[in-house]
Amino acid sequence: MKPVTRQRRKAQRGNASVEFAMSFALLWSVVSGVYQLGHSLYVYNQLSVAMSNAARFAGRDSIGAVKSTYSNRIKNVAVYGNPEGTGEAMVKGLSTSNIDVDIQEDTAGVPRNVTVSVNQFQVDGVFWSTNLVAKPYSTVKYAGRYQPY
């Protein structure tokens, strides 16, 4: 007659590998989800800082007769970090077409506030993508020099 302990060992053979496979699948999904969330928050933070810098620049830059030139300079600051638009984009995949500049004017046409926002930007992740619409954004009071002529 065989001892009871040997029979139990034979019956439980392979249980450790099954338990490992089940726990690894759960652990892998949790780790990848945390990575995805962290990456998305990192990109959103980069965009938020870029919008803040562009809005700060917009509040102090002077507006000339052509407002599209002013708007293009702000978009370049948001994407490239400089008004000339040289260098690489600060956030991978971001272009000037993803940036909206809204100039709020009073009844006399004098600028009061400038809002810079990201529109239709897709944050690509490992498992899913997130589409950002009108966020992040930053609004500042215009304190620059207004030269309409």
Side-chain angles (χ1 to χ4, degrees):
M1 188 169 200
K2 294 183 181 177
V4 177
T5 56
R6 282 189 173 207
Q7 287 178 347
R8 283 189 191 156
R9 284 188 194 156
K10 275 189 173 181
Q12 292 181 357
R13 206 175 265 174
N15 281 354
S17 60
V18 171
E19 288 174 5
F20 173 75
M22 290 172 54
S23 64
F24 181 75
L26 178 66
L27 183 64
W28 180 255
S29 63
V30 168
V31 168
S32 60
V34 168
Y35 172 78
Q36 177 73 31
L37 180 65
H39 176 72
S40 298
L41 290 175
Y42 172 73
V43 171
Y44 189 86
N45 186 41
Q46 282 185 314
L47 290 170
S48 182
V49 168
M51 295 309 104
S52 177
N53 290 341
R56 193 175 307 120
F57 173 80
R60 293 184 179 96
D61 197 25
S62 43
I63 298 177
V66 182
K67 288 187 181 177
S68 64
T69 304
Y70 172 73
S71 181
N72 288 338
R73 287 171 53 87
I74 295 169
K75 289 179 181 184
N76 286 337
V77 169
V79 175
Y80 302 107
N82 59 58
E84 292 79 30
T86 57
E88 290 185 25
M90 293 172 30
V91 178
K92 185 179 177 184
L94 186 65
S95 68
T96 55
S97 63
N98 298 116
I99 307 298
D100 287 339
V101 177
D102 183 31
I103 304 168
Q104 293 98 23
E105 300 173 340
D106 62 6
T107 55
V110 177
R112 292 295 173 210
N113 296 321
V114 180
T115 301
V116 184
S117 63
V118 175
N119 199 12
Q120 298 299 328
F121 181 71
Q122 190 167 359
V123 179
D124 292 326
V126 178
F127 302 104
W128 66 83
S129 297
T130 305
N131 195 20
L132 300 176
V133 179
K135 56 184 152 180
Y137 68 92
S138 185
T139 303
V140 295
K141 289 199 175 286
Y142 183 72
R145 207 164 140 195
Y146 178 58
Q147 304 165 336
Y149 308 108

